[in-house]
Amino acid sequence: MSRHSSPCHDVRAALAASLALLLAACGGGHHGHSKKPYDPTIREVEPNGSAATANGIGPLRPGDAYLVRGHITDFGPDVFDGFAFVSEFPLELEFVLTADHPAADLDLCVYDPFLGEVVACVENPWNPEVGFVAVLDAGIEFHLVVSSFLGTTGYTLEVFGHHLEVAPE
């Protein structure tokens, strides 16, 4: 496995038991967003480039919708922006990461602070980056980490909580 400067490029094989991946690496279209308005828009606060300094967004429940505005660079000093959430219920999390600059290529990873590792990433050349993560337990902390593969840009991160649809056994 090659090493890159971004933890999003070093995806670990082991997934936390509490996080199951349903990442959709699709470049367009939003899927089933919550209709709840964003209140308020959250602005990133530096420093937030490490697990210890991730911006604490708070609880995430089905029906919640967050809009985070931030700025990222592909070369120091601001190469990672982390945002910490806690699941209040088992849920499906949907995210949409949109770069302001059309030529920028951003990536979004899910970091598990309990394991101390990146458990999944959406890394493709499309804008926006869109994905889903199933959080199988209540009370689980997870971080969404924005990084730039190419370009310095502002961005919008939309986060939606949905009821977790569990297939019958």
Side-chain angles (χ1 to χ4, degrees):
M1 179 180 293
S2 64
R3 293 284 181 186
H4 299 276
S5 62
S6 166
C8 287
H9 298 284
D10 184 21
V11 179
R12 311 272 190 226
L15 295 178
S18 60
L19 292 174
L21 270 330
L22 302 173
L23 292 177
C26 51
H30 300 233
H31 309 333
H33 295 155
S34 167
K35 300 298 183 205
K36 180 178 177 180
Y38 307 114
D39 184 29
T41 296
I42 299 164
R43 300 238 176 241
E44 71 157 324
V45 177
E46 295 292 345
N48 64 347
S50 72
T53 61
N55 291 165
I57 304 301
L60 184 64
R61 298 172 290 272
D64 284 352
Y66 290 99
L67 185 133
V68 179
R69 289 287 301 150
H71 188 270
I72 197 82
T73 62
D74 55 357
F75 294 103
D78 185 22
V79 295
F80 305 110
D81 287 341
F83 304 98
F85 295 86
V86 176
S87 64
E88 290 219 336
F89 301 96
L91 58 86
E92 181 181 63
L93 168 124
E94 175 186 4
F95 61 82
V96 180
L97 174 62
T98 306
D100 292 351
H101 191 285
D105 180 5
L106 301 183
D107 296 326
L108 191 128
C109 294
V110 179
Y111 176 81
D112 183 326
F114 180 74
L115 290 179
E117 61 187 42
V118 172
V119 295
C121 292
V122 173
E123 304 170 302
N124 60 54
W126 301 304
N127 187 22
E129 299 276 0
V130 177
F132 298 85
V133 175
V135 182
L136 303 177
D137 294 312
I140 300 300
E141 180 177 336
F142 58 92
H143 299 184
L144 298 181
V145 180
V146 176
S147 65
S148 175
F149 179 77
L150 177 67
T152 296
T153 186
Y155 63 84
T156 301
L157 173 61
E158 299 170 89
V159 178
F160 306 95
H162 302 290
H163 289 283
L164 184 61
E165 301 295 328
V166 179
E169 294 185 32

